[in-house]
Amino acid sequence: MSAIRTVLVSLAVAACASCAGPAPREMPRAVCGTQIDPELTRLLVKSTDDLHEYNRVDRAKTITGPCVLLAGHDPVLEFRFSWDHSATDLMYLATGSGSTSQITNPRNSEATAKTLIGTDGAISQAPCRTKSGNYFTLTLQLPKIKPGDGDHRGDIERFMRAYFPATLRTLGCR
């Protein structure tokens, strides 16, 4: 009787453990090919449900392209990796009429050179000699943040302070 009871208790415990649902997924340790502290990503991405990437960036060929982190079908982080022969006017990119690099209410970052931080994204640029150009520009847009919501500017800046230099290290800039 004791052996049967032990088996039944074990099955009940196993059944209860599975009733709790799947364990929550963690934030990725790399986003769009760049290692990043998951806690920094968590500042900007609230859901871990079905996180996956759509990535058209080719670092080896240094071809301009997008990379998007999605939660299900919803984009939560949108990046644009771009290589240019000359430095780009970041304020023009941030406030221009196109949607590729536009961010709301951009301000120069005090922490990092050549970075604009907006309420819903950021743009950073650095010298990066490759076969496709002499400068690399990274745009981050956060479609889940309302453009006028200034509560996330500090979180965006903390993320970019870590993400942009880490991305530069992956590019093989000369």
Side-chain angles (χ1 to χ4, degrees), residues 55-139:
N55 192 342
R56 302 277 299 178
V57 176
D58 187 335
R59 282 174 161 82
K61 293 182 181 177
T62 61
I63 296 173
T64 296
C67 181
V68 181
L69 182 65
L70 299 118
H73 296 290
D74 298 324
V76 291
L77 296 178
E78 295 177 340
F79 293 94
R80 182 173 181 266
F81 291 65
S82 177
W83 289 265
D84 298 298
H85 290 288
S86 58
T88 306
D89 180 348
L90 296 186
M91 192 59 77
Y92 174 78
L93 287 177
T95 59
S97 60
S99 62
T100 303
S101 297
Q102 190 172 25
I103 59 174
T104 305
N105 195 14
R107 296 183 191 157
N108 286 315
S109 170
E110 295 176 14
T112 55
K114 285 294 261 186
T115 295
L116 294 176
I117 305 293
T119 58
D120 59 351
I123 303 175
S124 293
Q125 184 178 80
C128 178
R129 265 186 85 208
T130 63
K131 59 187 166 196
S132 294
N134 297 321
Y135 291 89
F136 171 72
T137 305
L138 178 70
T139 301

